[in-house]
Amino acid sequence: MNNQNLSPGQANLKLALWNAEAESIKSSEVYAQLQELGLPKEFISRLHELITFTKKVGGKVFAVGKIVLLKILEFVKAHPFLVVGAGIGAVVGAAIAGLITSIPFLGQVLVPVAAALGITVTVMGAVVGHRLDKQFPNVGEDVGEIVQHFFSLFADVFNTVFRNVITA
């Protein structure tokens, strides 16, 4: 199925399948998976709002938040080093950017440089993580391919299904 030519029927079917999967998994099981990842309890408790987010389409209620969270968890489990590398890169990049912008008198002038450097460090962390993922079986070819492949169908389904939904 080509994601570029996703019909409304195909998108509705895919969303219905994802929703059935989401409904078959208890919220407590999702929280347990999050805890196994070693995430802070404060972060996990904040995800409650996401996991309970629903949207009504055509008389049926879809667990959109739970679907999104399950897809993210699926991605993290499939590419652990990429996610960790990007996370470490983001922390280091933010620290460097913070230090650069805190330079007296020049800090505000250097904001664009600090932002670019922070993004570069984040990307480099993701690339290093991706290279580590490549050493293990069943991993994708490249950071762009992985993210594009994993999330393009996901985005297309939501864009197609919720295109005409009006939020009140």
Side-chain angles (χ1 to χ4, degrees):
M1 174 181 343
N2 186 353
N3 294 345
Q4 303 300 334
N5 300 322
L6 196 63
S7 72
Q10 291 170 319
N12 284 324
L13 175 62
K14 198 61 151 161
L15 184 61
L17 292 172
W18 288 341
N19 194 56
E21 177 187 354
E23 288 178 346
S24 72
I25 299 173
K26 296 179 185 176
S27 294
S28 59
E29 293 172 8
V30 176
Y31 289 122
Q33 289 180 20
L34 292 170
Q35 288 174 339
E36 288 173 6
L37 291 173
L39 297 173
K41 289 182 181 183
E42 299 82 27
F43 181 76
I44 294 171
S45 65
R46 289 184 178 240
L47 289 175
H48 177 72
E49 186 176 332
L50 174 64
I51 205 167
T52 58
F53 181 80
T54 59
K55 196 72 166 169
K56 189 173 185 177
V57 179
K60 172 105 172 95
V61 177
F62 290 91
V64 175
K66 198 174 193 181
I67 292 169
V68 169
L69 188 55
L70 289 172
K71 291 299 174 187
I72 290 171
L73 284 172
E74 186 178 315
F75 180 79
V76 169
K77 287 178 182 178
H79 310 287
F81 292 120
L82 174 118
V83 174
V84 169
I88 291 170
V91 169
V92 172
I96 291 171
L99 288 172
I100 290 173
T101 57
S102 69
I103 296 172
F105 307 112
L106 291 176
Q108 295 308 314
V109 176
L110 295 173
V111 167
V113 173
L117 186 59
I119 291 169
T120 302
V121 171
T122 302
V123 169
M124 291 307 296
V127 169
V128 169
H130 174 65
R131 293 289 175 208
L132 289 172
D133 274 336
K134 281 181 131 180
Q135 293 178 3
F136 298 97
N138 302 321
V139 219
E141 296 295 314
D142 152 70
V143 174
E145 283 180 24
I146 292 170
V147 174
Q148 195 275 337
H149 174 71
F150 190 84
F151 288 109
S152 70
L153 175 63
F154 187 65
D156 286 345
V157 167
F158 279 124
N159 287 332
T160 303
V161 171
F162 295 111
R163 181 178 303 139
N164 298 319
V165 174
I166 300 171
T167 305

